[in-house]
Amino acid sequence: MPSKFEVHREITINAPPQAIHPYINELFLWPLWSPWEELDPTTRITLGEPSQGIGANQTWTDRSGGGELVIIASDPLNGIRYDARFGSNREHYPAELRLRAIGPNQTQVRWQIQGKMTTPIMAPFLAMMANRMIGDPFQQGLAKLKWVVEERQQPEE
């Protein structure tokens, strides 16, 4: 069985990419929509310097060993790419929040992560379970992001 995985979820948000980008590019704003702290109340996040754009970073501790995240690419029209590292051995997983305009005031947001599980014996099982373990929280986070962006927009004049 393979130990590689790729998980992605998508949602359409009624806003242009430039209105969504600040919420994904500024790590200080992630608690407004990210599902992780809600799923594990023991999660403690520490923001690094800078907290937005390329080089923005954060670390966290939680029941599963914590991790770190660093934004490696950022574009207001296309979204962000970041490196995520998890657990005590800091396994590396490339991820992204991709923005794609699909209309004058609509954007498709795709959240994805990929990698290879390396836990001895359990790796193929964990890779097989990744779609549910990661995908469900991704979908929750995207739904919250949609709500935050759409509710905080100023009405057109």
Side-chain angles (χ1 to χ4, degrees):
M1 288 185 2
S3 56
K4 291 183 179 179
F5 71 93
E6 181 177 330
V7 176
H8 69 273
R9 295 294 187 272
E10 297 177 355
I11 198 164
T12 299
I13 297 179
N14 295 316
Q18 303 91 318
I20 301 165
H21 186 259
Y23 293 99
I24 63 175
N25 186 56
E26 170 58 74
L27 298 177
F28 181 77
L29 297 177
W30 278 41
L32 294 174
W33 59 269
S34 175
W36 306 117
E37 288 177 86
E38 196 172 296
L39 291 171
D40 182 354
T42 68
T43 301
R44 297 293 174 255
I45 296 174
T46 303
L47 292 177
E49 292 279 335
S51 66
Q52 70 176 343
I54 297 171
N57 62 90
Q58 67 180 22
T59 59
W60 65 90
T61 58
D62 60 16
R63 287 184 276 222
S64 64
E68 61 186 326
L69 175 155
V70 178
I71 296 177
I72 59 171
S74 177
D75 181 293
L77 297 178
N78 297 307
I80 67 165
R81 286 186 299 126
Y82 62 93
D83 282 333
R85 296 182 186 273
F86 299 98
S88 57
N89 58 1
R90 296 293 193 246
E91 298 281 338
H92 171 261
Y93 302 97
E96 67 181 344
L97 281 151
R98 185 183 316 155
L99 306 175
R100 184 172 66 86
I102 57 174
N105 201 35
Q106 282 193 320
T107 302
Q108 180 185 61
V109 181
R110 178 184 174 104
W111 196 357
Q112 78 178 46
I113 190 167
Q114 60 188 7
K116 181 178 180 179
M117 299 291 188
T118 60
T119 306
I121 301 172
M122 295 293 292
F125 176 73
L126 292 172
M128 192 171 62
M129 296 298 297
N131 196 46
R132 172 167 233 123
M133 292 185 317
I134 301 168
D136 290 350
F138 273 18
Q139 197 64 51
Q140 292 170 357
L142 289 171
K144 285 175 71 176
L145 179 63
K146 177 180 174 69
W147 182 84
V148 166
V149 170
E150 291 180 359
E151 292 301 314
R152 291 179 182 250
Q153 285 188 73
Q154 299 298 316
E156 291 184 25
E157 307 204 10

